[in-house]
Amino acid sequence: MFAAYVTVTIFASLLNGSAAVVYLIGHEFPKAQLDMKRLPRSWAPVLGMLLAAGSFGLLGGFAVPMLGTLAAAGLVLYFIGALLAHLRVGSRTLVNWAGFLATAVAALAVNLVYNWS
């Protein structure tokens, strides 16, 4: 179980960390996504910081298990909010969202099983 916990947690951290970097450097993709969802572009750095906090929190969970659990739960909530933003404007392009959510749910699941069972 330890190998699954470490593998999934590191993968989720890298995935969300890379998304955070894309948001924080001002890349056009997040701006286009925000425009499509009719959200202000000023939210890009905030969303990037939330992703970065989740990414670092997952890694911090190796030292403080509760931190990892809370970070994974926060990422799940973040991506539920992203789904609501997609649905609000009628967007049905959810492949990327589904991958990110599945990774966050997997990180939460292995965290709960490994640290709290």
Side-chain angles (χ1 to χ4, degrees):
M1 184 64 207
F2 178 73
Y5 166 63
V6 169
T7 303
V8 170
T9 300
I10 290 175
F11 178 74
S13 179
L14 289 173
L15 183 68
N16 288 290
S18 65
V21 169
V22 170
Y23 271 83
L24 292 172
I25 66 170
H27 193 274
E28 281 303 311
F29 180 75
K31 292 176 184 175
Q33 289 293 305
L34 289 169
D35 292 343
M36 183 266 298
K37 294 175 188 100
R38 296 192 299 263
L39 296 170
R41 284 185 171 201
S42 62
W43 285 18
V46 175
L47 296 174
M49 290 304 294
L50 290 172
L51 288 168
S55 178
F56 286 121
L58 288 173
L59 294 178
F62 290 125
V64 181
M66 182 59 75
L67 179 61
T69 303
L70 293 174
L75 286 169
V76 170
L77 292 174
Y78 176 95
F79 290 112
I80 289 172
L83 174 64
L84 296 175
H86 274 276
L87 296 178
R88 183 177 66 90
V89 297
S91 170
R92 300 295 185 256
T93 309
L94 300 173
V95 174
N96 289 340
W97 167 83
F100 276 91
L101 178 68
T103 304
V105 168
L108 179 59
V110 296
N111 193 300
L112 289 172
V113 170
Y114 181 75
N115 288 313
W116 308 105
S117 62

